[in-house]
Amino acid sequence: ESPGEVFLLVSGLVEKLRTRDKLYGSLPVGSLIGGNAMLDNRPSRHTYRASSFVRVLRLPAALFATVVKRHGLLDRVRRAADLSAFLDTTNLFGDGLQVAVLGRIIDSASETRFNPGDTIVGQDISVFNIIRSGRVERLIGRRVVDVLQQRDFFGEEAAVFNDPCLFRIRVLEEA
């Protein structure tokens, strides 16, 4: 059953749990609880638990949906929900992000697909990448250093430290 309300977290600490997938995180103030489920007309995939005194702003689901649609935000909200749900499954971002930071990530993120046998080079290796699906191997010369898969990342050397990447990345499964 789709939620009748969505909640805007105003203060306090809320944990976001999905034990089936062993996902545990916390929500920052400003997070919306139930928005994704309401827009997709489905029950929430997560359990939310207050770990301190919490204040929320309760919004009727119909009002939220009307505001999103009237202002042409449906595609952006869906994209944000999709990317946020994926980032929540990663070790790096699983504890949640501030809403403003998540917004900047969503606005600047892009998705690129690679085929088996492709070597990832140039701009694609000099930005921070998180593998959404598939597998790649990280090589130094001809030696495989490790195999990365869904939720793993590469390119952090260049993105964070502005250092050239020492590895070659070769795609094993469509990524």
Side-chain angles (χ1 to χ4, degrees), residues 133-175:
S133 64
R135 291 182 329 128
V136 301
E137 57 187 3
R138 196 178 337 214
L139 302 107
I140 294 181
R142 294 177 185 241
R143 185 172 62 95
V144 175
V145 177
D146 57 7
V147 175
L148 306 175
Q149 57 192 355
Q150 185 179 26
R151 299 184 195 103
D152 289 332
F153 53 88
F154 62 90
E156 67 276 13
E157 303 91 349
V160 176
F161 304 110
N162 206 24
D163 288 337
C165 184
L166 302 174
F167 305 100
R168 281 186 316 124
I169 305 292
R170 186 170 49 213
V171 179
L172 298 173
E173 296 172 3
E174 184 176 347

Side-chain angles (χ1 to χ4, degrees), residues 15 26 38 45 48-49 64 71 95 98-99 123 140 158:
E15 296 172 315
S26 58
M38 188 278 309
R45 294 182 180 122
Y48 298 92
R49 179 174 58 196
F64 175 73
H71 292 283
D95 280 339
Q98 293 179 353
V99 174
Q123 178 63 26
I140 294 181

Side-chain angles (χ1 to χ4, degrees), residues 10-155:
V10 176
S11 67
L13 301 172
V14 173
E15 296 172 315
K16 184 177 181 179
L17 314 166
R18 194 160 85 194
T19 54
R20 174 189 61 180
D21 298 325
K22 296 181 181 156
L23 300 174
Y24 308 93
S26 58
L27 297 178
V29 169
S31 294
L32 198 61
I33 300 170
N36 301 347
M38 188 278 309
L39 288 173
D40 293 338
N41 197 29
R42 60 165 172 76
S44 178
R45 294 182 180 122
H46 296 90
T47 297
Y48 298 92
R49 179 174 58 196
S51 55
S52 73
F53 178 77
V54 171
R55 287 190 176 185
V56 296
L57 178 62
R58 298 171 75 159
L59 304 168
L63 174 63
F64 175 73
T66 299
V67 169
V68 166
K69 290 173 184 170
R70 182 175 294 156
H71 292 283
L73 298 172
L74 188 58
D75 288 340
R76 187 179 192 301
V77 168
R78 284 190 189 276
R79 181 171 188 264
D82 179 54
L83 186 54
S84 178
F86 170 68
L87 291 176
D88 278 348
T89 68
T90 67
N91 290 334
L92 195 59
F93 297 110
D95 280 339
L97 294 168
Q98 293 179 353
V99 174
V101 172
L102 179 61
R104 287 196 304 272
I105 290 172
I106 289 166
D107 288 342
S108 63
S110 63
E111 192 167 313
T112 305
R113 294 193 179 274
F114 298 98
N115 295 312
D118 287 351
T119 300
I120 302 174
V121 295
Q123 178 63 26
D124 293 320
I125 194 75
S126 65
V127 296
F128 186 75
N129 295 271
I130 303 175
I131 301 170
R132 193 154 191 167
S133 64
R135 291 182 329 128
V136 301
E137 57 187 3
R138 196 178 337 214
L139 302 107
I140 294 181
R142 294 177 185 241
R143 185 172 62 95
V144 175
V145 177
D146 57 7
V147 175
L148 306 175
Q149 57 192 355
Q150 185 179 26
R151 299 184 195 103
D152 289 332
F153 53 88
F154 62 90

